[in-house]
Amino acid sequence: MSDESRPFRTAAVIPAAGRGVRLGPGAPKALRALNGTPMLVHAVRAMAASRSVSLVVVVAPPDGATEVKNLLAEHALPERTDLLVVPGGESRQESVKLGLDALPPGFDVVLVHDAARPLVPVDTVDAVIEAVRDGAPAVVPALPLADTVKQVEPRTDGSPEPVVATPERSRLRAVQTPQGFDHATLVRAHESVTENVTDDASMIEQLGLPVVVVPGHEEAFKVTRPLDLVLAEAVLARRRANDGF
């Protein structure tokens, strides 16, 4: 089969090795329950909901791969999507690299998704994949900002921080996940970029390659603080009421 006729294959990497200290003491953030089900399970289901995703790689805490495997085995996941659990590293960047290293040959598109964004709709996932298939080396879903943003001079002594600039809001976007990449390009970025990494897309920017934006979704918010758990429960309740999710 020629490269032109060979179908694109897509894998998703979910780094889930963080502790999530802003949610307070207890289990790692990805293992916190949301409507009785760990957020990580919701996130895996969100990736597997796309028929384009044939493999999901979960990057577990370094000493927690067995626990994560057992946890995922306790919950129903789409049988058409393969699942792989590997131990992660000390940083998110290292964990994503370990997830990439675990991918078998033959995948053209790689998604990197935050386990703490458990409710991203499948339409958003598919839009990211389609943009990579159309030739973009890197794609991020994003939303326009509702609030005015101020750039400040940070203070470490607790004193008021002076404003130094007001960026033009119409040119700013709040970036979400999954972020999508040409597989070979993302691997090259992880092999060569080590500094000033805010997300995987920023690594592609440092290679001098374009990153494009597709519309994000308000339900793809990141569960970081206790209030976010309340909002996520409300979203799930609405989904159950509307379409039996």
Side-chain angles (χ1 to χ4, degrees), residues 11-15 55 57-59 84 86-87 92-105 107-112 179 181-191 200 203-204:
V13 175
I14 303 180
L55 172 65
V57 178
V58 174
V59 187
L84 181 63
V86 298
R92 184 184 186 279
Q93 184 178 358
E94 184 180 352
S95 291
V96 172
K97 176 65 163 56
L98 290 168
L100 289 174
D101 291 344
L103 290 178
F107 285 94
D108 310 276
V109 180
V110 178
L111 305 178
V112 181
Q179 299 183 356
F181 305 91
D182 168 73
H183 184 190
T185 301
L186 184 58
V187 168
R188 179 157 64 95
H190 273 271
E191 290 174 344
D200 292 273
M203 301 172 73
I204 306 301

Side-chain angles (χ1 to χ4, degrees), residues 131-156:
V132 179
R133 288 178 171 179
D134 285 344
V139 181
V140 296
L143 293 174
L145 297 182
D147 298 319
T148 296
V149 175
K150 300 291 185 183
Q151 181 180 344
V152 302
E153 184 67 37
R155 292 286 187 264
T156 58

Side-chain angles (χ1 to χ4, degrees), residues 101-237:
D101 291 344
L103 290 178
F107 285 94
D108 310 276
V109 180
V110 178
L111 305 178
V112 181
H113 183 57
D114 293 334
R117 296 184 189 270
L119 304 178
V120 57
V122 67
D123 288 350
T124 302
V125 180
D126 286 340
V128 170
I129 295 170
E130 188 63 28
V132 179
R133 288 178 171 179
D134 285 344
V139 181
V140 296
L143 293 174
L145 297 182
D147 298 319
T148 296
V149 175
K150 300 291 185 183
Q151 181 180 344
V152 302
E153 184 67 37
R155 292 286 187 264
T156 58
D157 59 2
S159 62
E161 298 176 328
V163 171
V164 297
T166 302
E168 184 180 343
R169 187 174 64 184
S170 65
R171 297 174 61 88
L172 301 177
R173 298 291 183 270
V175 174
Q176 303 174 325
T177 69
Q179 299 183 356
F181 305 91
D182 168 73
H183 184 190
T185 301
L186 184 58
V187 168
R188 179 157 64 95
H190 273 271
E191 290 174 344
S192 58
V193 178
T194 59
E195 298 180 353
N196 301 318
V197 175
T198 56
D199 60 3
D200 292 273
S202 71
M203 301 172 73
I204 306 301
E205 293 175 51
Q206 290 191 55
L207 292 181
L209 298 173
V211 177
V212 301
V213 171
V214 297
H217 196 282
E218 60 184 6
E219 292 180 1
F221 61 89
K222 192 172 186 178
V223 178
T224 302
R225 299 173 177 84
L227 179 59
D228 299 326
L229 284 172
V230 177
L231 296 174
E233 293 277 6
V235 170
L236 285 175

